């Protein structure tokens, strides 16, 4: 197996998109087989090694950044298998953890199928999207990665390789999982004893529910319970056509009325994506898109799947909803074909690029949220962010998955004093969102950046529930230490 210790090769593994600094590692391993991953883990405790798993570095929370641990880089485990139809509407595909999402999506599309999970950055690895339960704009209709995982192969921290098909290992009536493994022996542990928020997206901490499937414990566990080696994923029949549109609103009442009606389905529309751009996001975008109408209070991006038979009715339903919500349909930017879709996709991609360009001219990094609240409180979340940032005179943008009451706030500090104030505001916003019944993370996960705030969400007792599950599977604490669970909680256990 190739391993590298030289600074030039290692440097890229000390970064992701979080801007978390001061990571370091004695070396990076590039396993080429499942057995090589398992062998690293099997000897870890005896050799006094810990490992951090690295995907392709598009994560936003520092999860793949090591702080003294060795790195297992998944890049060479990148095979994508063929498509196996299950029936007329669904199929499966297997992919190794280091396969890029865009390759899997292309492979599925070439066979006439469609893989819905779609984090905006398509160069991410399949294993990471499972470890992080990633989602994206289409998750409004299709849900996050969790809903599309049929089976996993996982290297457990003591070196066993476990294949888990859905339905194979379920928590019993007491919430207990029991497993017999060649190396780890008999494992018996209860699912985490805590409730989950009633948001429609949630991605903070280990999943827990009565009768839950072991597959769901690994999904979203951010590499703390095992290394994802391979996943069997569910595909759907590719839609015949997709209609997409950017709808402009001159006032916020119209915009939120539109969202409420689109969500209720009462207007004859059935969106698969409902995404918000606030006025500040549009100001950034205007640098690249001067045709954005002046005086716009915000925009909503929608997508709906159609067929040649119902395309016209779909268009009419959206046009009429726009008009009745005060959004001039003749000004909207609609896409009816692949070329148009690509143009609107590029528009959405452009926002983080422009924000990053702006940040590169300042000395500070952004402070950003990934929180969601119960669906009915979407507007309250937006107003909470807007009012708090306006009161501080911050430069900020609010955008994202409004259909799931899940908005990203990016505060863009101009100097250290503003950065400190933004961090203080972030803490207050976490408290407010949790009091609304919300979640700390709806899609990006916790990583190392947000683990201290996870304590606020679950309380110390909840975090100790995660420690208990972690130690049942990883008794020598060799894997992804520092992700999700603050390190101090391993030491504080009695
Ligand atoms: C511009 C931009 C837009 C984004 N939009 C979205 C979005 O809409 N929705 C969304 O959900 N996310 C989004 N993301 C976040 C990111 O793309 C996802 O979290 C993605 O899953 C990370 O993949 P990666 O391969 O880059 O993982 P990395 O950043 O390398 O690692 C992420 C985490 O996964 C762990 N990990 C990686 N591989 C494995 C494995 N095989 N087994 C166990 N653990 C593993 C790592 O240890 C780390 O904790 C966005 C990121 C960017 C930069």
């Amino acid at each position: 197996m190739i391993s590298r210790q030289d600074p030039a090769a290692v440097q890229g593994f000390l970064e992701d998109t979080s801007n978390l600094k001061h990571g370091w590692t004695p070396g990076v391993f590039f396993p080429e087989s499942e057995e090589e991953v398992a062998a690293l883990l099997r000897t870890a405790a005896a050799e006094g090694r810990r490992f951090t798993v690295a995907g392709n570095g598009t994560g936003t929370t520092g999860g793949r950044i090591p702080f003294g641990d060795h790195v297992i880089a998944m890049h060479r485990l990148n095979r994508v298998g063929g498509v196996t139809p299950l029936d007329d509407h669904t199929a499966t595909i297997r992919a190794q953890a280091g396969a890029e999402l865009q390759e899997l999506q292309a492979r599925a599309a070439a066979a006439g199928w469609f893989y819905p999970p779609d984090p905006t950055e398509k160069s991410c690895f399949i294993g990471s999207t499972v470890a992080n339960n990633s989602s994206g704009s289409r998750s409004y209709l299709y849900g996050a990665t969790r809903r599309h995982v049929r089976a996993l192969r996982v290297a457990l921290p003591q070196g066993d390789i476990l294949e888990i098909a859905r339905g194979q290992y379920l928590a019993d009536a007491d919430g207990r999982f029991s497993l017999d493994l060649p190396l780890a022996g008999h494992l018996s542990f209860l699912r985490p004893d805590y409730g989950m928020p009633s948001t429609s997206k949630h991605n903070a901490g280990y999943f827990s529910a009565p009768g839950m499937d072991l597959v769901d414990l690994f999904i979203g566990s951010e590499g703390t319970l095992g290394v994802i080696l391979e996943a069997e994923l569910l595909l759907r029949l590719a839609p015949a056509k997709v209609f997409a549109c950017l709808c402009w609103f001159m006032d916020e009442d119209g915009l939120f009325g539109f969202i409420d009606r689109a969500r209720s389905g009462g207007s004859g529309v059935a969106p698969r994506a409902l995404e918000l751009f606030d006025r500040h996001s549009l100001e950034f975008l205007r640098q690249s898109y001067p045709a954005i109408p002046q005086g716009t209070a915000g925009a909503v991006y929608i997508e709906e799947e159609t067929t040649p038979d119902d395309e016209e009715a779909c268009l009419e339903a959206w046009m009429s909803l726009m008009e009745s919500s005060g959004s001039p349909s003749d000004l909207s930017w609609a896409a009816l074909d692949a070329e148009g879709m690509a143009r609107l996709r590029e528009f959405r991609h452009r926002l983080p690029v422009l924000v990053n360009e702006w940040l590169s001219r300042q000395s500070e990094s952004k402070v950003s949220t990934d929180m969601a609240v119960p669906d009915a409180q979407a507007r309250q979340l937006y107003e909470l962010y807007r009012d708090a940032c306006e009161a501080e005179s911050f430069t900020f943008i609010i955008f994202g998955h409004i259909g799931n009451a899940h908005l990203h706030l990016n505060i863009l500090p101009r100097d250290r004093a503003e950065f400190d104030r933004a961090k203080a505001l972030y803490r207050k916003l976490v408290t407010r969102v949790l009091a609304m019944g919300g979640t700390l993370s709806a899609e990006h996960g916790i990583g190392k950046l947000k683990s201290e705030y996870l304590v606020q969400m679950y309380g110390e007792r909840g975090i100790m529930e995660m420690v208990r599950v972690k130690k049942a599977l990883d008794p020598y604490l060799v894997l992804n230490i520092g992700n999700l669970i603050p390190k101090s909680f391993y030491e504080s256990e009695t």
Side-chain angles (χ1 to χ4, degrees):
M1 171 178 9
I2 295 173
S3 70
R4 301 288 296 269
Q5 290 82 31
D6 51 302
V10 159
Q11 181 55 38
F13 290 92
L14 308 180
E15 297 162 0
D16 63 1
T17 63
S18 67
N19 223 1
L20 192 65
K21 297 200 176 18
H22 311 303
W24 65 278
T25 180
V28 181
F29 291 92
F30 294 86
E32 294 181 39
S33 67
E34 292 187 341
E35 186 43 43
E36 286 186 347
V37 177
L40 287 172
L41 295 172
R42 202 173 296 143
T43 52
E47 293 182 1
R49 277 186 184 157
R50 285 180 167 172
F51 288 103
T52 296
V53 191
N56 215 15
T58 71
T60 63
T61 61
R64 57 107 78 169
I65 300 178
F67 283 82
D69 301 340
H70 284 79
V71 172
I72 299 179
M74 299 307 290
H75 299 58
R76 287 168 184 249
L77 283 160
N78 58 4
R79 204 177 53 244
V80 181
V83 173
T84 309
L86 295 174
D87 53 38
D88 288 350
H89 304 284
T90 52
T92 61
I93 190 166
R94 287 191 82 97
Q96 286 188 302
E100 286 194 14
L101 173 68
Q102 56 199 355
E103 193 195 331
L104 180 124
Q105 287 180 334
R107 188 73 66 94
W113 298 91
F114 163 60
Y115 183 61
D118 191 31
T120 319
E121 184 47 69
K122 283 171 176 291
S123 62
C124 59
F125 287 174
I126 289 298
S128 322
T129 63
V130 172
N132 292 278
N133 189 30
S134 301
S135 49
S137 63
R138 301 193 294 234
S139 299
Y140 175 67
L141 179 64
Y142 288 108
T145 297
R146 183 181 304 286
R147 252 206 237 167
H148 304 85
V149 176
R150 283 172 46 98
L152 290 178
R153 285 178 70 76
V154 185
L156 296 180
Q158 294 187 73
D160 291 292
I161 293 181
L162 184 64
E163 164 101 24
I164 327 168
R166 268 200 190 277
Q168 195 178 348
Y169 298 98
L170 300 178
D172 70 12
D174 296 329
R176 185 171 295 282
F177 289 107
S178 298
L179 299 170
D180 286 299
L181 298 164
L183 297 172
H186 181 66
L187 296 186
S188 172
F189 59 93
L190 293 167
R191 70 178 172 89
D193 177 20
Y194 47 64
M196 305 232 289
S198 58
T199 51
S200 58
K201 278 171 90 179
H202 168 59
N203 207 23
Y206 298 155
F207 182 89
S208 187
M212 68 179 279
D213 200 304
L214 187 61
V215 168
D216 284 317
L217 187 63
F218 286 99
I219 300 170
S221 67
E222 301 193 27
T224 58
L225 301 180
V227 180
I228 309 294
L229 298 169
E230 187 173 301
E232 183 181 306
L233 302 167
L234 190 67
L235 304 178
R236 295 170 185 279
L237 202 59
K241 302 193 94 176
V242 178
F243 168 65
C245 192
L246 254 173
C247 318
W248 313 107
F249 292 87
M250 298 306 147
D251 64 77
E252 290 175 355
D253 285 342
L255 185 151
F256 282 98
F258 175 85
I259 289 164
D260 285 346
R261 282 185 288 251
R263 283 184 51 84
S264 74
S267 310
V269 298
R272 74 172 187 184
L274 263 180
E275 305 270 306
L276 173 88
F277 295 89
D278 79 333
R279 72 170 76 232
H280 302 293
S281 305
L282 297 178
E283 276 158 25
F284 266 98
L285 282 158
R286 192 171 276 116
Q287 297 166 51
S288 300
Y289 297 90
I292 291 173
Q294 292 294 336
T296 308
V300 179
Y301 172 81
I302 61 103
E303 279 180 14
E304 179 169 339
E305 294 174 3
T306 67
T307 63
D309 291 340
D310 66 14
E311 185 182 27
E312 209 165 303
C314 164
L315 246 81
E316 272 169 26
W318 280 111
M319 296 303 151
S320 122
L321 181 56
M322 277 182 235
E323 291 297 342
S324 63
S325 311
S327 172
S329 60
D330 53 332
L331 294 185
S332 65
W333 295 2
L336 294 162
D337 54 20
E339 213 177 293
M341 287 285 291
R343 272 200 300 273
L344 291 187
R345 175 172 270 278
E346 173 53 28
F347 177 90
R348 291 165 58 232
H349 257 107
R350 195 81 200 130
L351 183 59
V353 173
L354 290 166
V355 166
N356 287 339
E357 276 174 22
W358 189 90
L359 283 167
S360 68
R361 295 193 293 275
Q362 323 294 319
S363 53
E364 300 299 336
S365 49
K366 69 182 177 190
V367 173
S368 56
T369 72
D370 176 36
M371 298 189 278
V373 293
D375 287 351
Q377 299 178 64
R379 185 166 186 176
Q380 284 96 312
L381 180 66
Y382 169 80
E383 289 175 349
L384 171 68
Y385 286 169
R386 183 201 60 194
D387 294 349
C389 288
E390 283 180 1
E392 296 275 0
S393 303
F394 285 146
T395 300
F396 68 98
I397 58 171
I398 303 171
F399 64 98
H401 320 291
I402 189 72
N404 290 106
H406 169 211
L407 292 173
H408 298 295
L409 163 67
N410 284 186
I411 306 174
L412 310 173
R414 282 163 287 216
D415 54 35
R416 181 56 17 174
E418 269 199 3
F419 178 82
D420 290 342
R421 282 198 288 124
K423 287 292 276 188
L425 178 61
Y426 179 83
R427 278 190 198 97
K428 284 188 201 152
L429 292 174
V430 170
T431 305
R432 292 285 299 275
V433 167
L434 294 180
M436 290 163 78
T439 176
L440 177 58
S441 170
E443 68 179 10
H444 289 173
I446 302 301
K448 299 186 177 71
L449 208 60
K450 295 186 175 168
S451 63
E452 66 170 286
Y453 304 104
L454 200 64
V455 185
Q456 211 174 323
M457 178 162 180
Y458 286 94
E460 294 193 359
R461 199 193 72 82
I463 302 291
M464 290 315 290
E465 281 297 292
M466 291 183 219
V467 171
R468 183 177 56 68
V469 172
K470 163 79 173 163
K471 286 199 165 178
L473 286 159
D474 186 6
Y476 304 109
L477 299 180
V478 299
L479 198 57
N480 269 18
I481 301 302
N483 277 12
L484 278 181
I485 300 168
K487 273 188 179 172
S488 59
F489 278 78
Y490 294 120
E491 287 138 27
S492 70
E493 197 190 17
T494 51

